[in-house]
Amino acid sequence: MDDPEETKNEIRGIYKQKLPHLEAASGELAPIFGLGDGQLATQRAQGLFKHPAFLGAFVEFADNYLDTSWDLPVGEWAAVRGLVGAKSSDSIASWAEDAGPDRKEWEVNHFYARFIVRTLHGIREPAQGKTHLVYWLEDAEEDQAYWVLFHALMYLQLETMRDYKKKAPVKDRFSHFIDMWKKTPLV
């Protein structure tokens, strides 16, 4: 948690490895989550990606933010941490509800904050019942829990956008390439 930019680069490095599945990526992500190395750490990271609260919040994130785009920015740790930390317990409860707040004026960091709030609420909510999948996150300090969820979402966002790009029509990919080329300044 000392250097968010370095950690963002580590996440991007894992993404660039093009690991065959999430279970393989979990072993690489576990040290970033503060779980250490080894089989148990990998299993704990895998459990997070399988938890119903995590999956539900990610589906909402993908539907409302990604919306089949493949070139959107990822969140910024300090901004997301500030948004989540600024919420009172009442507004946290409203952000954790299924309907949630109005998203018209949101940018990427708001969507990340919403994801973190919804996931952590779903994990810690007594109505959901105890789960063995993420007991380590349920009892974690707030900052550690936010850190884990932020970086898990970042990795999944990158992977999902890669899938969206693969499925996009050639015409759209070509247009995107041309647009990016036009934005590149000539020396």
Side-chain angles (χ1 to χ4, degrees), residues 29 34 49 51 55 58 60-61 78 81 84-85 98 100 105 109 129-130 137 168-169 171 173 175 183:
L29 293 167
F49 291 112
H51 193 277
L55 294 172
F58 182 73
E60 179 190 81
F61 175 84
R81 177 61 187 98
V84 175
D98 286 337
E105 303 296 320
N109 296 317
K130 298 291 181 186
L137 190 58
K171 179 183 92 173
R173 289 183 293 183
S175 295
K183 292 177 186 178

Side-chain angles (χ1 to χ4, degrees), residues 3 5 28 36 67 83 100 104 123 138 143 146 170 174:
D3 189 353
E5 282 304 311
E28 300 288 324
D67 191 33
L83 283 169
K104 289 178 187 167
I123 289 170
E138 184 177 2
D143 276 344
Y146 300 159
V170 174
F174 185 72

Side-chain angles (χ1 to χ4, degrees), residues 94-115:
S94 73
W95 270 43
E97 294 172 1
D98 286 337
D102 180 27
R103 298 174 183 92
K104 289 178 187 167
E105 303 296 320
W106 282 15
E107 46 88 29
V108 62
N109 296 317
H110 290 91
F111 288 99
Y112 267 71
R114 164 85 170 158
F115 171 84

Side-chain angles (χ1 to χ4, degrees), residues 134-145:
V134 289
Y135 68 89
W136 53 274
L137 190 58
E138 184 177 2
D139 298 327
E141 294 179 14
E142 295 295 311
D143 276 344
Q144 184 65 33

Side-chain angles (χ1 to χ4, degrees), residues 16-56:
K16 288 178 181 177
Q17 291 177 26
K18 296 183 179 180
L19 297 169
H21 47 76
L22 198 51
E23 285 77 19
S26 294
E28 300 288 324
L29 293 167
I32 292 171
F33 296 167
L35 297 172
D37 293 322
Q39 186 64 28
L40 183 58
T42 299
Q43 289 175 340
R44 287 179 177 171
Q46 289 171 354
L48 174 62
F49 291 112
K50 295 175 183 176
H51 193 277
F54 185 93
L55 294 172

